[in-house]
Amino acid sequence: MMKRKRNSKALRAGCKGKREASEEVAHFGTSITDVPEPIFKNIVLRLPIRAIIMCKCVCKPWRRVISDPQFAKMHFELAQPCPLVRTLGNARVARMLHLIEPSDVDNYDSFSDSRFAKHLRLNYGRDFYLKLDTKLKIPLRNAEQMPQPHNVSDTKSRLSSERGFKKRCVKVRPKEHKFQIVNSCKGFVCLSEPSSNNPLVVCNPVTGEYLNLPGTDESDNNTEKDMVSCGFGLCEETNRYKVVKMIDQGYFESVYRCPITGEKSYKKTLVEVHTLGTGTWRRIGYAPYYHSKLKFTTYLNGFLHWISLDFGKRILIYCFDLGREEFKSVQLPPLGDYFDPIIRWNNQCNTSLGVLRGSLCLCTWSGYDSLDIWVMKKYGEPKTWTKIVSTYSLCVERWPYCVYQPISFEENKGLLMFLSPKSAFIYYQPENYGRWKYFRILDVKTKYEAIAHVPSLISLKDVLNGDGMEILNINLSEYKLLGETKAIYLQEVIREAETDTDHSPSEGDYD
Amino acid sequence: MLYAIFGVQTFLQRDLELRNLSLFNRRKGFSYLFQKSLLFPFSISFFLSQGFIYLFLLSSRKSSSPAAIMSSSSPKMITLQSSDGETFEVEEAVAMESRTIKHMIEDDCANSSIPIPNVTSNTLTKVIEYCKKHVEAKSDEEGLKSFDAEFMKIDKDTLYDLLMASNYLDIKSLLDLGCQTVADKIKGKNPEEIRKEFGIKNDFTPEEEEEIRKESPWVFD
């Protein structure tokens, strides 16, 4: 009885839809589907990722154009790095990554500066929020250990499924199912096990595909904190993706001299490399000594980089050549004598590494209590380290003192940086009198992390050339986790007074 | 008339010389300054006056002969013919906004009227209006922006025709403007709304729809 009703309802809905659509089609002379493909591609390439995925679901011709690997390549060439935001809360598995697209920032920027917005803010105290709409998913660790949906005999859940809700909320333990993000390279993200940082998965959050990395005997058994440092990157000569991991194995019997720093140490760190598409990890030797945990994994031009603190609290940039599979160090910019890499009150390193405008970038606090951003203009030539921003020379308000992570600095746009301890963003426009905007993620309970990611539609299948590796899709799972539908908002914090009034218009000035 | 102008010119020159001489004399040697002060303002005022004389002559006699120094004073007209037979006369500079027409002119195929088979007269009128404005007000960015915004307040049929015309005629700025306008109409809408906006039929079967729903679930949230 119920089945028949449901079918007829669907039929009626389908027919109605068709009639309506055909009426609408008859109404217009030319249709957008008559527009030739190159123009259509031109239009779609201007859209943010969220809109492109919507367009994919509109009709068959559009789906065909957007699913084409050539189109994905064209799109990736034009794409810019965006922050990928994730909650760090311990109670959550944090499967959702929120992407802040450049068009969101542009729209907000132009809106919040408008006279209307200022008027509302002054007279009605209305605050504006930027809603992070683009949500991408990463897989669950140990997904096979998840409780199966149809096995749960909860009456509540049965009722909700009869009412037509597709998925039910399932409670999971983050300890068993959470992933940690290592780094992003060419649109793909590498995920690792949180406690040991052992790399487990490479995925493309936009298309929802992921690939499990093979396990090794050595690293599977360890549960010690941060025993592994790793990175994921593309070897440009052979066009193969590789994952590198450095496993802490204790100590050597005799002294080992580090080829990079020249220091003598007993620490033994095994290096293994896995090329995506092969089935195993290859041992390539021992890593040069590094004192503290390697942080800020950055991929650039076929090299992986990390920052490490030395005995004498000096900063070192470690670099791994993915082609030759060997380590070397990168010479630092001239940071000055008063430079101190440690934030005294929390013993954190105040220097970070990233990529801005295609060049390696180092953000650090100078001895004069100001933020310096150095960029190596020509890769491989340390003489070309140039300081592109220094808040010391800016006459406006002091920037907050914490760790800054560079996200992007595109042409004609501002510099976007993420302040990890405060879960906030700073958007700085050098042309606009050096003014900066401060956006805070609206959440009092937990902190957030962000990485710079270039969203890409390129499929893992194309990248691996069909090497027989099993590529799985995240979205085929049926679960919905608690708190996943919660929206994240960015709130602009309007600072009360500008210290240097010559550079900025006062609040009463509407021009 | 010429003599009068020449007279004024020499008077002005002498005045300038005298002024400069008195200035420089205080600081440097006489002969060096004499030459410098004479030559510099003399040569500039000479060329400027020649230029003004020529312009004046041309405008008064309305001749179309090519000028010696200032050559852009007489506009060359190009005839364009739309697909439905209507002809439009435009200035060369305006027609050159289209790279297709520009190549035709450079290859010397544009002696009589240029046929533009794919574009109707309505669309061609709009295209010419756009090109004219962009040639006239080239430096005025704010003005162009507001013109573009007003220009794009058209119905969808005209918009698609404009897109295809600007693609055929290879007018990059108009093509970019049109594509951006369509992109702005797509942004922020879910698939059903996009279909409604553009009058697109949903040609997916229910099974395919289910598959799509699984692939990107948050699209339908």
Side-chain angles (χ1 to χ4, degrees), chain A residues 279-313:
Chain A
T280 54
W281 289 88
R282 287 174 287 121
R283 246 175 238 199
I284 59 165
Y286 292 98
Y289 176 69
Y290 48 89
H291 177 67
S292 65
K293 181 181 167 190
L294 293 182
K295 291 170 79 173
F296 298 110
T297 319
T298 308
Y299 165 81
L300 183 65
N301 295 345
F303 292 83
L304 277 170
H305 308 82
W306 299 268
I307 276 199
S308 152
L309 274 183
D310 188 287
F311 267 128
K313 303 293 182 196

Side-chain angles (χ1 to χ4, degrees), chain B residues 12-206:
Chain B
L12 282 170
Q13 260 166 237
R14 293 267 169 77
D15 191 32
L16 273 168
E17 285 165 27
L18 285 169
R19 285 212 199 138
N20 282 327
L21 270 177
S22 54
L23 251 175
F24 286 131
N25 258 340
R26 283 183 225 138
R27 283 186 255 146
K28 293 187 183 171
F30 184 74
S31 52
Y32 168 71
L33 289 162
F34 186 79
Q35 288 166 22
K36 198 171 185 205
S37 59
L38 273 181
L39 269 170
F40 195 60
F42 178 85
S43 48
I44 285 202
S45 57
F46 178 75
F47 283 115
L48 273 176
S49 56
Q50 294 299 316
F52 285 128
I53 290 169
Y54 272 115
L55 270 178
F56 184 70
L57 283 172
L58 282 168
S59 58
S60 61
R61 287 184 198 175
K62 290 183 190 158
S63 69
S64 55
S65 58
I69 302 169
M70 308 280 185
S71 55
S72 60
S73 43
S74 69
K76 185 176 170 204
M77 302 301 281
I78 306 270
T79 320
L80 304 171
Q81 192 179 37
S82 68
S83 60
D84 43 356
E86 219 177 297
T87 54
F88 298 84
E89 258 208 13
V90 291
E91 287 179 13
E92 195 183 30
V94 172
M96 300 272 262
E97 285 283 295
S98 151
R99 280 180 59 174
T100 316
I101 298 181
K102 183 168 174 239
H103 292 322
M104 280 193 204
I105 295 175
E106 284 168 358
D107 293 344
D108 228 5
C109 313
N111 295 321
S112 59
S113 75
I114 301 179
I116 305 182
N118 311 356
V119 185
T120 60
S121 52
N122 290 333
T123 318
L124 196 52
T125 321
K126 291 286 285 188
V127 170
I128 291 171
E129 184 192 332
Y130 177 86
C131 295
K132 249 192 193 156
K133 179 72 183 186
H134 273 249
V135 164
E136 282 166 11
K138 222 171 192 131
S139 43
D140 179 19
E141 265 195 52
E142 283 299 318
L144 279 181
K145 263 191 196 165
S146 50
F147 170 78
D148 286 347
E150 274 304 307
F151 189 75
M152 277 294 141
K153 288 185 181 164
I154 47 181
D155 61 294
K156 292 218 180 54
D157 284 340
T158 327
L159 180 55
Y160 303 144
D161 289 336
L162 260 181
L163 277 176
M164 296 200 265
S166 55
N167 186 39
Y168 174 73
L169 292 169
D170 200 354
I171 307 173
K172 190 174 183 299
S173 54
L174 182 57
L175 185 60
D176 285 344
L177 179 64
C179 289
Q180 190 61 49
T181 313
V182 180
D184 290 338
K185 288 199 208 291
I186 296 179
K187 263 187 219 177
K189 294 195 166 82
N190 65 30
E192 194 48 52
E193 288 166 359
I194 298 176
R195 282 185 210 125
K196 206 172 159 196
E197 170 85 21
F198 293 96
I200 302 173
K201 198 171 91 159
N202 181 4
D203 53 0
F204 289 120
T205 64

Side-chain angles (χ1 to χ4, degrees), chain A residues 76 183-190 232-234 241 299 452-453:
Chain A
F76 184 69
N183 71 322
S184 152
C185 163
K186 303 268 183 193
F188 299 108
V189 173
C190 178
F232 164 67
L234 170 71
Y241 284 87
Y299 165 81
H453 175 75

Side-chain angles (χ1 to χ4, degrees), chain A residues 46 57-58 60 135 475, chain B residues 176 195 203 214-215 218:
Chain A
R46 290 160 193 274
C57 309
V58 168
K60 278 189 188 158
K135 292 185 283 212
N475 296 309
Chain B
D176 285 344
R195 282 185 210 125
D203 53 0
K214 269 191 183 172
E215 236 181 60
W218 51 265

Side-chain angles (χ1 to χ4, degrees), chain A residues 158-176:
Chain A
R158 220 185 300 138
L159 279 172
S160 61
S161 67
E162 282 182 359
R163 251 181 259 145
F165 295 144
K166 287 239 151 87
K167 297 174 190 172
R168 292 177 329 277
C169 282
V170 182
K171 267 192 181 163
V172 290
R173 274 180 285 177
K175 223 175 170 180
E176 288 170 22

